[in-house]
Amino acid sequence: MKLLIVSKIYDTETKTIAEIQEEVQKDLDSFVGKNKVEFKLYNLGCVAAMFFNRYLDYSTLGANPKTDINCADSFIISGDGFQGFQLPSPLPPMPYISLMNYNLDQDEFLKAYRESAEILGASKIDDAWLEIGNSYIVLRVKTK
């Protein structure tokens, strides 16, 4: 399975889960700072679960964790902005130029993520969904 994680495509058939976790963790430490986000990857058949453990209270951001994703989480997962990387299928633009922190609809994020992953050579995503809590965000993808 080939997955888009923090700006890069990782192939679970050529690298071990431990190798992928280590590489992604190094990128996250460089992107957002050491010890700010802890990454774990789990793979079971055609479903991969990417866990990004971090603290972010959506209730203080006017966001609903069932329907919204905060821009910080979307950047962490996709790597958009990391070392000049931009998603080929871009995220929706920020609503206001001066707004530094914003929320977007999860469906919009997942659409941009899926399209970008496919353009970059990841496995075709059959389904994708998010689970968001104060101490974690999980992106699960099911491939064909």
Side-chain angles (χ1 to χ4, degrees):
M1 176 184 305
K2 294 180 182 177
L3 301 165
L4 171 60
I5 313 169
V6 191
S7 79
K8 296 178 184 150
I9 301 296
Y10 292 93
D11 189 341
T12 61
E13 293 180 20
T14 61
K15 292 188 180 212
T16 67
I17 297 296
E19 289 171 327
I20 294 170
Q21 287 179 160
E22 185 178 327
E23 288 181 32
V24 170
Q25 189 63 58
K26 282 181 186 174
D27 284 345
L28 283 169
D29 290 348
S30 176
F31 189 25
V32 297
K34 200 161 181 68
N35 300 319
K36 301 238 178 180
V37 178
E38 179 189 17
F39 177 75
K40 295 292 179 195
L41 175 64
Y42 299 93
N43 188 16
L44 184 59
C46 62
V47 177
M50 296 168 257
F51 284 77
F52 298 84
N53 297 308
R54 82 311 173 244
Y55 187 79
L56 186 62
D57 185 354
Y58 271 46
S59 69
T60 64
L61 303 170
N64 179 346
K66 300 278 186 216
T67 59
D68 302 325
I69 182 171
N70 184 264
C71 65
D73 282 339
S74 68
F75 298 151
I76 287 169
I77 293 170
S78 67
D80 199 46
F82 177 56
Q83 297 179 339
F85 174 78
Q86 290 186 315
L87 290 171
S89 178
L91 295 170
M94 290 193 313
Y96 303 103
I97 269 294
S98 64
L99 189 59
M100 297 302 290
N101 194 357
Y102 70 102
N103 305 308
L104 57 138
D105 185 84
Q106 285 184 15
D107 289 337
E108 290 178 353
F109 168 76
L110 291 171
K111 180 178 185 274
Y113 175 87
R114 281 174 132 155
E115 290 173 355
S116 294
E118 188 171 333
I119 290 167
L120 294 168
S123 299
K124 181 131 176 91
I125 297 171
D126 200 27
D127 196 11
W129 61 101
L130 293 164
E131 180 183 339
I132 300 172
N134 286 348
S135 61
Y136 65 89
I137 184 165
V138 183
L139 171 62
R140 289 183 176 83
V141 295
K142 180 180 177 191
T143 60
K144 294 192 182 243

